[in-house]
Amino acid sequence: MHITRLKQFYTRSIAIILFFLLWDFSARFGLVDQFILPTVTQVIEAFGRVIGNGTLWGHFSLSMRRTGSGFLVAVVVAIPLGIVMGWFAKAEEYLDPLLQLFRNTSILAMFPVFILAFGLGELSKSAIVFWGCLWAPLINTIAGVKGVDPILIKSARSMGISVLGLFAKVILPACLPEILTGIRLAAGTGVIILVAAEMLGASRGLGYWIFYAQQRYATAEMYAGIVTISLIGVAINFILAKLEKHIVAWKRQMQ
Amino acid sequence: MSANQEAALQKEYSPQLGQPPGQPNLNLLKTETRTQENPEEDPVLIKIENMSRVYHINRGRKKERFTAIQDFNLEVRQGEFMTIVGPSGCGKSTLLDLLAGLSFPETGHILIGGQEVKGPALDRGFVMQGYALFPWRTISKNVEFGLEIKKTGKAERRRAAQAYLDLVGLTGFENRLPYELSGGMKQRVAIARAFAFEPQVLLMDEPFAAVDAQTRELLQEELLRIWEKTHKTIIFITHSIEEAVFLAQRVAVMTSNPGTIKEIIDIDLPIPRKSGDLKSSPHFNWIVHKVWKSLHNQEDEELRETENPDIENEIDPDTAL
Ligand SMILES: Nc1ncnc2c1ncn2[C@@H]1O[C@H](COP(=O)(O)OP(=O)(O)OP(=O)(O)O)[C@@H](O)[C@H]1O
Ligand SMILES: [Mg+2]
């Protein structure tokens, strides 16, 4: 039991450990200019410094608030909207082309529009995250609802279930796997969008901070910021994947 | 049916107000056994009068009408087990949808307990072909589904689910998910689910079509046992003539295009029935043949005229449609 655990840990981490070793080695022995790539220890030192003086936390919490609000509103809007659109096939037929158009328009290309509409403050950042996070859960929910086995709906209807009951007890649980996948995609997108938006037009936040660190040649801090962002992404994915596995065990087993 | 009887029936049979919530009347817990001394005396529960069902098909601008069922008349008595056989596409599933209240007749009436069917309700239980279990719900939660709609309390739901799972022989599987069961077990869950909310009428659409022959015999006997215990009215569709005869008090034979009742054959076999001896008895096979003949001479009416009467003895009674 312990042995297999250990072995699994080894399998899962060896590539990452080697990567950091290679990084550190390249920087330390001058294979790459330390100005471009500082050593791992330098980055860790910078990490400690910005955590210690509260700089990182300030930028991190602000970025999380922006992503979190945009993401949550997007999910809360996307799921019911997706259920309704998936249910009314006719409406979906009309709206799908528009949806595809929006989805395939680069999200960041829309950022200037959001700045025009909402100014340079917090709202424009949350709004662009909302916009970027909306599509994956919406499209997945629609696909999920359309894919619900009609015999399940018929079975529930034959027992005289109400429309609301049908949505809550049949449609929603049946397409939960698709919805969760959509949410996971959206969370990833949310962070990416925010970082880019903060680089384009912000005076605080992780994206701004990384960009600004580069501007003032604080390369170690810049890498500390980058690592923070990848840690956020990994953490979100880990939590949502765990949740998904737990909630939709029945689906995984069916296939 | 006399006016008196009809009034009595309506009183006894009021789907919405039937039982106070939280107290499903577990008839099965009593051990009364059904007798069949005088089934003709049971009041008529389901009455279908001059009913027709038309499908309106929209192909872009082209609108088509397809009459699936026409001039349909049928009476089913309370507590009766009726099976329906008929060629594929003759409208059997369409008929069950109508009885379930999932669709409505073009003309005519469907009365249950003297009242017109206005939509689906928990006074009828529907067992569809292909189980239709909710894959995310445990077996026990699947069985509780109808009771949840009925707003029965949690403890009572548990108890009812357990009672019916015991009845269909699935004790110990309460917390499994559907994918963890075999086909025959899933079918049992579907039956338990339909019985659990105590409907008066059970509509079953080829419920045993997807299981192997041995399991099928087992399920047939189990269903008969449950029926004898619970006094439900059952309308059961099947493609197997043998199954139809084995289960039913009466077998209704349908013709197709448009679907209508051709003949109703009384099955005067003793109750309770046991597969082994009964199915090999000459009387059983004679009835099977009778149903077979009724089904088949509609397909080649002319042929029958010149048919050699001896051929009847050579027909395999197991013939399924
Ligand atoms: N939704 C529908 N729209 C149009 N026509 C339909 C529809 N459903 C069924 N039909 C037609 O109605 C007729 C009866 O169909 P139904 O499914 O009731 O047959 P069935 O007796 O149950 O057949 P089977 O034994 O193969 O299950 C068929 O000719 C079928 O093509
Ligand atoms: Mg059918």
Side-chain angles (χ1 to χ4, degrees), chain B residues 53-65:
Chain B
R53 166 80 170 111
V54 176
Y55 283 110
H56 298 267
I57 306 155
N58 285 324
R59 288 267 173 283
R61 265 186 298 153
K62 235 174 72 188
K63 286 196 171 36
E64 271 177 53
R65 289 166 54 90

Side-chain angles (χ1 to χ4, degrees), chain B residues 9-37:
Chain B
L9 183 55
Q10 271 194 33
K11 212 161 120 198
E12 181 185 333
Y13 178 81
S14 45
Q16 267 74 37
L17 310 168
Q19 284 129 18
Q23 297 188 322
N25 159 25
L26 289 183
N27 275 335
L28 65 120
L29 300 179
K30 300 178 211 150
T31 45
E32 289 174 63
T33 303
R34 198 181 164 74
T35 50
Q36 202 212 8
E37 285 133 29

Side-chain angles (χ1 to χ4, degrees), chain B residues 55 57 66 68 88-94 206 239:
Chain B
Y55 283 110
I57 306 155
F66 178 80
S88 185
C90 74
K92 304 182 294 295
S93 299
T94 303
E206 298 184 41
H239 269 147

Side-chain angles (χ1 to χ4, degrees), chain B residues 249-297:
Chain B
Q249 292 174 299
R250 292 192 298 157
V251 176
V253 178
M254 282 180 72
T255 57
S256 49
N257 285 320
T260 185
I261 294 282
K262 183 195 184 204
E263 188 180 355
I264 292 178
I265 296 165
D266 281 306
I267 313 296
D268 51 356
L269 296 167
I271 289 175
R273 296 174 187 169
K274 275 269 167 232
S275 224
D277 295 339
L278 185 64
K279 284 184 180 170
S280 52
S281 76
H283 187 54
F284 180 84
N285 287 296
W286 181 79
I287 302 173
V288 167
H289 176 61
K290 199 163 133 188
V291 177
W292 187 92
K293 229 170 64 176
S294 174
L295 254 169
H296 282 251
N297 63 17

Side-chain angles (χ1 to χ4, degrees), chain B residues 81-90 92-93 95-96 127 129 203-210 216 220 223 234-248 250-254 279 291 295 318-321:
Chain B
F81 199 136
M82 172 173 271
T83 52
I84 299 181
V85 293
S88 185
C90 74
K92 304 182 294 295
S93 299
L95 175 69
L96 281 204
V127 180
Q129 189 176 346
L203 308 167
M204 309 180 91
D205 195 350
E206 298 184 41
F208 305 152
R216 192 168 183 152
Q220 288 169 0
L223 180 63
I234 300 182
I235 299 184
F236 185 107
I237 285 171
T238 176
H239 269 147
S240 157
I241 299 174
E242 194 194 60
E243 179 169 85
V245 171
F246 177 68
L247 291 173
R250 292 192 298 157
V251 176
V253 178
M254 282 180 72
K279 284 184 180 170
V291 177
L295 254 169
D318 284 339
T319 308
L321 290 177

